[in-house]
Each structure stands twice: as structure tokens, then as C-alpha cells.
């Protein structure tokens, strides 16, 4: 079930009455004994609402949700706006709040961008560790990820030419992304920002320029040609890195004592959230 927050926010984006339909759907599945979860889109307008204790308690404890996915607004597709993304400060707060909910309330909660530390970083293009995925759209275009709309190959053409997914996996553009993932991890890259298109936009643009994958739609093509878009994404990356690097270094990097493997308490990030 997809939600944007409480009734007002959900209905404002998804249509009048959708929130109540979601509750009715949950009720039907609950009575039938079918497990279900919810998907939440985080923007700068609803971040604090969807991750509030009140909201999560209501859906996990009263509505019976067993898991939830959080997807940050990504400026791709139609009518994009960089201004809708959670701010760097909000994103760091989301990281802290999501782990607080997981640790203190045992909620099964996954944040697509903030929880790279539990899945060995970025999973796009098949992942350098082999545990990742590709995205294939309804036209057969194969992209590294649903949020990275650039495709070097069409699955229909590949099969028509006698190729398999193994040959798709070996495509140079996909291979370059996996090499980037491996290199980023080898230099102790910050896994709080593992995403090429969201967190390292300049690096992705270089790979796109070199291997020239086809934009999956006109909006993806326009984004490549828009200098303001590139500048805004780069600025976001730099601002979030300045906030998250300290958390990554102090909270995640292995201690000097190899026997010190205790799970650390969540750090106090209040001073970082005040940075402008």
C-alpha cells in the first residue's frame, strides 16, 4: 500500500478517498490472514510525518503492517523538482530516526537510500558482489536501477540476437557501474551515500558520457542536458557528504581494536542538523 502520510497528504497526491481505501484494503487483508506492508515516498514536505512515532505506531500496531519501504523523492520522470527532495539535514535525520525505530521498536523498516550499510552499498547493475538487480521496463529497456533511467540494451533485442542475461550483465556500461561500486568500497567510501545517480551524480554523468546508454524517456534525456539540474544534484551531494561523513567515520568504520564489535549507540546528530 502506497502512502504519503496521513489522510490529507495521501489524498492530496493520490486522490480524494485513497487514504480510506488503503485502510479498507488493509482491513480486508488482515481479516484474510494475508501479510502486507506499506511504501512511503519521502519529500521535504512529509519526512517528519511519515517517520514519526505516531504514524509508525498507528500502522504497525493498529493496522498490522509488517514491513515498510521508504523511497526518497528522486527528481526523475515528469515535472521533476529538485526542491521536493528531502534536504540533506532531513535525510540525515531520517537515517537516525529509522534506526531508532528499528532498534527500539523492532519495526521491519527499509530506507532505500539510507540503509546501504545493510546491503553492501549500491545494488544497481547487478552489484559488484553479485547480489544486486537490474530494472527492465515495459518496453524491454534494461537499466541499472529503476531510479537510473539510462539503458544500453533492450532485453527483446538481446533475446532476438540469441543473447542471455549473462551477456546483458556484461554490457560495458553496467560493468563500469560495478567497477565504480567496487572502487568506492575499497577506498572506504561513505555507505550512507552509496547511490551513483543520487549521491555521486558527477561520476554517473562521466560514465553516461563515455558509454552513451539511451535515456529511457524524454525526461531522462532532458536531465542530461540541463546544467541547472546537474549543478543542483552536485550541490546536494556535497552538502550531504559534509553532514554524513562524520557519522560514517565515527559510527561505522571498524574500530582499531578488532575485538570491539559491539553495536554502537546511535550518535547525537543534533549539531549536524543545525548546519546550514
Amino acid at each position: 500500500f502506497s502512502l504519503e502520510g496521513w489522510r490529507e497528504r495521501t489524498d492530496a497526491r493520490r486522490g480524494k478517498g485513497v487514504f480510506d481505501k488503503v485502510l479498507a484494503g488493509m482491513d480486508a487483508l488482515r481479516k484474510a490472514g494475508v501479510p502486507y506492508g506499506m511504501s512511503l515516498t519521502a519529500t521535504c514536505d512529509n519526512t517528519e510525518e511519515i517517520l514519526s512515532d505516531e504514524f509508525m505506531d498507528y500502522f504497525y500496531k493498529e493496522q498490522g503492517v509488517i514491513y515498510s519501504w521508504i523511497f526518497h523523492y528522486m527528481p526523475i520522470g515528469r515535472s521533476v523538482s529538485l526542491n521536493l527532495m528531502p534536504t540533506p539535514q532531513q535525510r540525515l535525520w531520517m537515517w537516525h530516526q529509522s534506526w531508532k525505530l528499528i532498534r527500539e521498536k523492532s519495526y521491519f523498516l527499509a530506507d532505500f537510500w539510507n540503509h546501504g550499510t545493510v546491503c553492501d552499498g549500491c545494488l544497481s547493475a547487478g552489484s559488484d558482489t553479485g547480489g544486486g538487480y537490474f530494472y527492465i521496463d515495459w518496453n524491454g529497456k534494461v537499466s541499472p536501477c529503476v531510479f537510473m533511467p539510462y539503458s544500453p540494451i533492450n532485453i527483446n533485442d538481446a533475446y532476438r540476437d540469441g543473447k542471455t542475461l549473462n551477456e546483458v550483465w556484461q554490457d560495458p556500461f553496467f560493468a563500469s557501474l560495478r567497477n565504480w561500486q567496487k572502487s568506492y568500497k575499497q577506498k572506504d567510501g561513505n555507505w550512507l551515500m552509496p547511490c551513483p545517480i543520487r549521491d555521486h551524480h558527477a561520476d554517473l554523468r562521466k560514465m553516461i558520457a563515455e558509454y552513451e546508454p539511451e535515456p529511457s524517456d524524454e525526461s531522462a534525456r532532458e536531465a542530461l542536458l540541463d546544467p541547472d539540474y546537474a549543478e543542483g544534484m552536485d550541490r546536494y551531494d556535497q552538502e550531504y557528504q559534509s553532514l554524513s561523513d562524520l557519522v560514517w567515520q565515527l559510527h561505522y568504520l571498524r574500530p582499531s581494536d578488532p575485538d570491539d564489535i559491539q553495536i554502537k549507540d546511535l550518535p547525537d546528530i543534533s549539531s549536524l542538523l543545525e548546519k546550514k
Side-chain angles (χ1 to χ4, degrees), residues 1 25-27 29-30 34-38 59 62-67:
F1 295 95
M26 289 182 175
D27 183 59
L29 292 181
R30 187 167 56 251
V34 178
Y36 54 89
M38 61 180 175
F59 280 98
E62 297 186 35
Q63 293 300 322
V65 163
I66 65 169
Y67 68 91

Side-chain angles (χ1 to χ4, degrees), residues 200-217:
H200 304 276
H201 199 71
D203 290 346
L204 178 66
R205 288 201 308 275
K206 291 178 182 177
M207 286 183 272
I208 291 175
E210 180 174 357
Y211 296 101
E212 299 184 342
E214 185 71 17
S216 297
D217 53 47

Side-chain angles (χ1 to χ4, degrees), residues 146-158:
V146 65
F147 297 106
M148 208 181 303
Y150 300 97
S151 171
I153 191 168
N154 189 294
I155 194 66
N156 297 313
D157 296 336

